[in-house]
Amino acid sequence: MRLTINDILDVAIKSEESSCKFYKDMACKAKNPDTVKILEKLARDEQDHLDYLLWLKSGEPINEEVYFDGFEEAGALNPDMTPKEVLTVAMQREGAAAKMYRRMADIFKAQPDKHFVFERMARDEDHHGDAIAKIMEQF
């Protein structure tokens, strides 16, 4: 399958939408106030990524056929989870996102401007993972 930059952006947009919704939904269900705060922060981070990708995409429609399934490996959240359990799932999701963006960057090695965008997104996900690891030290 040959993908265009728009196909790649569609995958990234869908994954950021999924992650943002995932964290927001769980923040509404979580019972531990610290867990709620963590989930709300993670949702804001994912929304920032989504906004950036939508800006790159310039409002073109999303291609429903392109999908990245790496996030299922991270596991699910439930309302009774402790902050540490939530953070563990969040770290795994950030790692999956970084991996996805690196794959996208590899596709565009010959096009430095596009390669840069996806490498930057991968680095952002790595930084989020590092930040989550530091928060985990509190629990």
Side-chain angles (χ1 to χ4, degrees), residues 74-93:
L77 296 179
N78 70 64
D80 296 317
M81 287 179 130
T82 66
K84 188 170 185 172
E85 290 168 328
V86 167
L87 290 168
T88 299
V89 172
M91 263 180 68
Q92 292 169 340
R93 288 181 69 90

Side-chain angles (χ1 to χ4, degrees), residues 49 52 56 101 105 114-127:
H49 282 165
Y52 179 71
L56 284 175
Y101 288 128
K114 294 172 181 145
H115 176 81
F116 170 78
V117 168
F118 294 111
E119 274 297 322
R120 178 178 176 246
M121 296 297 288
R123 284 192 308 273
D124 283 351
E125 298 294 350
D126 288 338
H127 291 299

Side-chain angles (χ1 to χ4, degrees), residues 26-92:
M26 287 311 303
C28 292
K29 296 174 185 173
K31 296 175 181 161
N32 182 307
D34 290 331
T35 301
V36 171
K37 287 178 190 174
I38 290 165
L39 289 164
E40 288 172 343
K41 162 88 172 84
L42 293 169
R44 284 191 305 273
D45 290 345
E46 299 305 327
Q47 184 65 52
D48 288 345
H49 282 165
L50 176 59
D51 291 344
Y52 179 71
L53 291 168
L54 289 171
W55 174 78
L56 284 175
K57 179 93 167 141
S58 300
E60 293 184 32
I62 292 174
N63 178 348
E64 295 288 336
E65 297 172 14
V66 182
Y67 180 69
F68 176 76
D69 62 356
F71 294 98
E72 284 78 14
E73 300 166 13
L77 296 179
N78 70 64
D80 296 317
M81 287 179 130
T82 66
K84 188 170 185 172
E85 290 168 328
V86 167
L87 290 168
T88 299
V89 172
M91 263 180 68
Q92 292 169 340

